[in-house]
Amino acid sequence: MGALRRRGIALAVVLSGAMTLAACGAGPAAGGGGDGSVRVGYISGAALAPAFVADALGCYRSHGLDVTFQPINNPADAIAFLSSGKIDAYVGSPSAGMFNQVARGANLKMVASLGSVNTPGDEPAPSGLYGAAGVTKVADLKGKRVASLGTVGTATSFLLGKSLESGGLSLSDVEVVPLSLPDMTEALRNGGVAAALLVAPYTRKAVTEGFATALVDSKAAYGKETTSGIMYGPNLLAKNRETGVSYLRAVACAAARMQGDWRKDPEIVKALADFMKVPGNVISGGGLYAFDPTLKVNAGTLTDMQKMFGSHDGTLTYDDALPAEKLVDEQILHDAAGGSQ
């Protein structure tokens, strides 16, 4: 695989209070030939919370949407389902699979970013690289098994790579073991892996039960990156685009409600705990993610992911980094902020 060129195409989506106003007021019924129904595939995690609590907060209903959720364990499946039209949107993270499909001509794009670990002050990061018993530093992981949500090419493998880099290693120095988030905690507990890239609320479980410790400062390792977001397929990007606009407004409605320490909001905590099927104290006492109410896509992260994955033979099927306009639909987010009204 040749070296990927970093192409700094900045997104100039200027979204301020307009997004909140457009999102939280009752919007027009979803149009574009659609009936307001949206099939959403998702990976469970607190970093994606606005999309999950929007239903309980009435945001979907106020925008004329009927949203059904389909859980997905393997991010690669999500890209296949999105490409084939089995789902309309994917609430999760971009991946090498998405990049490869776009390089082949598929109409898949990021339309929003969600949770970031870059919370203010001394608030600890809600995700990070955690070592099992006996592992005290990143260097201890050389040649060891390390768990990630999916193989090299997933967003969590990217965050894992950034974490390893902070300790002088790379993805090539460890054996990446793909596991679901619940299975990672058990593998850490029983010694099946030496470390895992965990996300909230599983980070809290690992620490409170004493079977894992944080190995890196995640804010320093990847605080500027945003890997959680929303991707659309052909239906919401083209055929039923107005429904896609309405969906983003509904999610922005929920994101506006989740500014500051949303863990202190009982309605948010209950809604997210019910959706994720975990006790409320796991949410209220778990990690805090920051949500940009504008949902602005972090295009720099997409470039950084391609650069990292391009150094692993067979992960990407092309040589030169795809530019932002190939991976992000800037206009649909602008329209959701009221730019088309």
Side-chain angles (χ1 to χ4, degrees):
M1 177 68 66
L4 291 172
R5 296 197 306 265
R6 181 181 182 92
R7 300 179 63 178
I9 301 179
L11 287 178
V13 185
V14 183
L15 304 173
S16 56
M19 175 63 94
T20 301
L21 291 173
C24 294
D35 58 2
S37 62
V38 183
R39 301 162 299 169
V40 179
Y42 73 96
I43 296 289
S44 186
L48 306 162
F52 301 154
V53 304
D55 188 24
L57 297 180
C59 298
Y60 289 144
R61 181 173 61 256
S62 71
H63 287 86
L65 298 172
D66 178 15
V67 178
T68 57
F69 285 93
Q70 177 179 337
I72 294 174
N73 290 323
N74 187 339
D77 292 338
I79 300 305
F81 293 162
L82 199 58
S83 299
S84 64
K86 291 183 179 179
I87 57 175
D88 303 310
Y90 171 45
V91 176
S93 301
S95 65
M98 174 196 175
F99 302 150
N100 289 334
Q101 288 285 354
V102 172
R104 296 185 189 107
N107 189 16
L108 307 173
K109 291 190 176 179
M110 289 286 297
V111 295
S113 285
L114 292 174
S116 165
V117 304
N118 202 23
T119 50
D122 296 329
E123 180 69 36
S127 71
L129 181 60
Y130 284 73
V135 177
T136 61
K137 57 185 182 299
V138 171
D140 294 340
L141 299 177
K142 188 174 180 62
K144 302 292 181 60
R145 290 162 53 87
V146 180
S148 170
L149 185 62
T151 56
V152 174
T154 62
T156 50
S157 74
F158 169 69
L159 300 182
L160 171 59
K162 299 291 286 187
S163 299
L164 292 171
E165 286 175 2
S166 71
L169 299 182
S170 70
L171 290 172
S172 299
D173 293 317
V174 301
E175 179 187 349
V176 178
V177 181
L179 292 175
S180 68
L181 289 167
D183 288 342
M184 287 184 198
T185 57
E186 292 310 306
L188 280 170
R189 189 197 304 273
N190 63 32
V193 296
L197 198 294
L198 296 177
V199 301
Y202 301 96
T203 48
R204 180 177 183 270
K205 180 180 179 68
V207 173
T208 57
E209 296 184 16
F211 58 82
T213 55
L215 300 179
V216 301
D217 178 350
S218 298
K219 287 185 180 181
Y222 55 79
K224 72 182 182 66
E225 311 290 356
T226 310
T227 58
S228 301
I230 302 172
M231 280 142 278
Y232 281 175
N235 187 35
L236 297 184
L237 288 173
K239 182 180 178 182
N240 295 317
R241 190 174 176 87
E242 191 57 38
T243 301
V245 169
S246 295
Y247 184 78
L248 287 178
R249 287 176 176 163
V251 174
C253 167
R257 175 74 176 269
M258 299 184 73
Q259 298 306 293
D261 193 347
W262 46 267
R263 298 170 301 183
K264 297 178 180 179
D265 186 326
E267 188 176 9
I268 294 290
V269 169
K270 184 180 187 309
L272 186 55
D274 288 349
F275 186 93
M276 294 181 64
K277 297 180 173 60
V278 298
N281 64 350
V282 172
I283 302 299
S284 61
L288 180 67
Y289 284 93
F291 299 103
D292 182 348
T294 71
L295 307 183
K296 181 180 178 181
V297 175
N298 188 340
T301 294
L302 302 179
T303 303
D304 289 343
M305 291 177 74
Q306 292 180 82
K307 181 179 180 180
M308 181 182 291
F309 298 156
S311 66
H312 292 266
D313 289 343
T315 303
L316 297 182
T317 59
Y318 56 94
D319 292 325
D320 294 333
L322 299 171
E325 64 264 23
K326 290 285 189 179
L327 297 168
V328 180
D329 191 319
E330 177 180 332
Q331 184 61 46
I332 198 167
L333 192 57
H334 179 68
D335 291 347
S340 64
Q341 298 179 344

